[in-house]
Amino acid sequence: VIDSFHAEFNLKENNMLRRVLSAALMTLFLIVPAVAQTAEQPLRAGMIGLTTSHVIAFSKAMNNPEATGPLSQVKVTAGFTGGMPDNPSSWDRREGYTADLKAAGVEIYDTIEEMLKHVDVVLLESVDGRPHLEQARPVIAAGKPLFIDKPMAGSLADVIEIFRLADEANVPCFSSSSLRFSKGFQQMRNDSPVGKIIGCEAWSPCSYEEHHPDLFWYGVHGVEVLFTIMGTGCKTVTRVHTEGTDLVVGTWEGGRIGTFRGIRQGKRDYGALVFGEKGVVSAGKYDGYQPLVVEICKFFLSGKSPVPAAETIEMFAFMEAADLSKENGGGPVSIEEVMRQARAVYASKK
Amino acid sequence: VRTIVRWQHSGLCLLLLFTFASSTWAEDPAPIRAGIIGLDAHAAVWARILNRPNAEGELADLQVVAGYAGGSLDIPQSQELLKQGIATFEELEIPVVDTIEELLTKVDAVMILSIDGRPHLEQAKKAFQAGKPVFIDKPLAGSLADAIEIFRLAQRRNIPCFSSSCLRFSPGTQAILNNSSVGRIIGCNAHSPCALEPHHPDFFWYGIHGVETLFTLMGSGCVSVSRVQTEDGELAVGRWSDGRIGTFRGHRSGPHTYGATVFGEHQVVASGKYEGYEPLLVEITKFFKTGVPPVQAEQTLEILAFMEAADASKRQGGRPVSLETVMKAAQRRAE
């Protein structure tokens, strides 16, 4: 729009007037784009890693012609398939999801770099967390706001590095499980009916994937609930592991205690019991993907992350500490120590 | 028990029963006479419930007829509650006698309700010697070793004896057991208040309520315990031999609440609420009538082993401690 306006304007003779008007119009265009785009042209979103059912669910929510609010202002227009050959969950479904997106009119590109030329924002969806750092690098380099689906990465060190790169490039970036934005869990965080939160017992299914720390693959959902309700400040972690169940206990600053129960046997349920100053209540249920997709769209439109990076980092430290506790026979593991070791990984590579 | 003994051992009584069976006999047998040892805890409240003139069902069949004060000088709460207990007995016109021996001459069955678990063993010994069935309120004893000794003595004399927190018999908790819509119980997070008392292992004093809920729902079979303690709370994780996991959360801040989340085969449900003393009193009455304890001694001992193991885990910085080790050490002490 600006280019064509200039082309037309260049025909004018009066240089002075041209300069003044040009400056005024440039200012106008610099201020207006967000508004103009939201009103008429939705943001073009690209998806990296067409290896999870989320790509179908999320793009359906955004591309629904009847979508309203923030959902109507972001459309998935591009995709890059990706996939990890050594992880069947990632590899076996990629072609199906790619075909589905193609059928829905989404352009599929051979490389992330190519895709980035055609989008305003990016959803990194790869079901396997290990390639996330390498996939995030070009996105951050291109300055595109980035949502990263769970698990944010294959290791705490990678999580820290992604946030560091994004912060350095001033690129908005966040990651979350959809569980965080279920109404009941948000209410506990923002306006708890039981006053100050003293403790929490969260649970979720917890299947493993051999290339990820145990809780990253699926337990992350319940851990996300735990941190949504407890916030940051976890100091030590102990874990009891059996074939059917994991039970991870976190001790927070000030003596609050939060637990995560990972379920592999029995009803695969999500939930949390919250211990507050004024009562003990159930925090509610999983509300599906929609609340997360709305938050992602709001994030793309505003550039503001709905989750503090420090909280996401601490969640991953909690999950890695849980693995260390299992290795040491169930003794307590310090979050600070886990963080120190993870920070050293990329610091030493520089 | 008096009725049972009479019916079993007196042909005359049987004859009377069949010959003159009147509605009075069938519906209104003489209540069992219970004596309470230790008026410094539940004695006042339970005597009020049991001695209500309009008590119905099982509760009509048990009457408190005598009390022995007891009390522990080194526990301030015991001293406070003892005054209230004695006053209530006076009000209800229940005689308070000077010795346990005297109490035993007046009663058919004994309830040891001393708030302090430490004297329970000595108090129980006397009741066993007199051949009276005994209910012992929580905590069964001041140590696992004492608890082992109590059950050993009872068994040797073939005297029915059991102990339980009232939480076990909350109808909402019992309803979860064998509930086909919940299915097999795969795990449980139980919670209760957990005030501490310096003369008892940490969970014995109050945490026992939540631990009793946990074992009621999970059943026996816990093999190890690891524990986290902070100023305001406790979190003990038990691993069962079949891989199931149960937790006990004890709280010392926030509201005074009891509960449990039950992780079932088909459903996750809330349970474990406190629903009053009556359900336990009904069980105690049935126990005195039949001589059949509603809780196996093995499970009660496992509960105490769980609680002592939790203390051992605390001492070891939160590492898991095997119940077997704790049990063996206590058995050695008991011998």
Side-chain angles (χ1 to χ4, degrees), chain A residues 201 242 255 257 261 267 276 328, chain B residues 189 230 243 245 249 264 319:
Chain A
E201 294 173 351
T242 66
I257 297 174
R261 176 184 286 266
K267 172 74 178 167
N328 82 18
Chain B
N189 295 346
T230 69
I245 293 179
R249 174 186 288 265
R319 303 194 66 82

Side-chain angles (χ1 to χ4, degrees), chain B residues 45-72:
Chain B
V45 183
W46 291 11
R48 270 189 206 285
I49 296 170
L50 292 170
N51 289 16
R52 273 191 309 231
N54 56 350
E56 283 176 1
E58 296 287 347
L59 295 183
D61 298 343
L62 188 63
Q63 189 88 29
V64 181
V65 300
Y68 166 75
S72 300

Side-chain angles (χ1 to χ4, degrees), chain A residues 180-181 183-193 228-229:
Chain A
R180 173 179 290 271
F181 296 106
K183 208 173 122 200
F185 306 138
Q186 282 295 304
Q187 200 202 351
M188 287 301 155
R189 182 183 180 90
N190 301 321
D191 182 24
S192 145
T228 300
I229 293 169

Side-chain angles (χ1 to χ4, degrees), chain B residues 275-288:
Chain B
E275 297 181 66
Y277 296 124
E278 271 95 342
L280 171 59
L281 293 174
V282 165
E283 291 301 325
I284 293 170
T285 308
K286 284 199 243 172
F287 161 73
F288 285 152

Side-chain angles (χ1 to χ4, degrees), chain A residues 50-53 88-98 127:
Chain A
L50 310 181
T51 55
T52 159
S53 60
S89 299
S90 168
W91 198 248
D92 296 351
R93 301 179 295 173
R94 58 202 280 276
E95 282 166 7
Y97 292 136
T98 302
V127 72

Side-chain angles (χ1 to χ4, degrees), chain A residues 97-119:
Chain A
Y97 292 136
T98 302
D100 287 352
L101 281 197
K102 225 180 213 170
V106 173
E107 191 73 32
I108 307 300
Y109 295 92
D110 291 337
T111 65
I112 292 173
E113 287 72 10
E114 189 57 31
M115 187 196 84
L116 288 170
K117 291 180 195 158
H118 303 277
V119 301

Side-chain angles (χ1 to χ4, degrees), chain B residues 231-242:
Chain B
E231 198 186 328
D232 288 344
E234 307 281 354
L235 204 302
V237 182
R239 192 165 67 80
W240 264 248
S241 58
D242 54 4

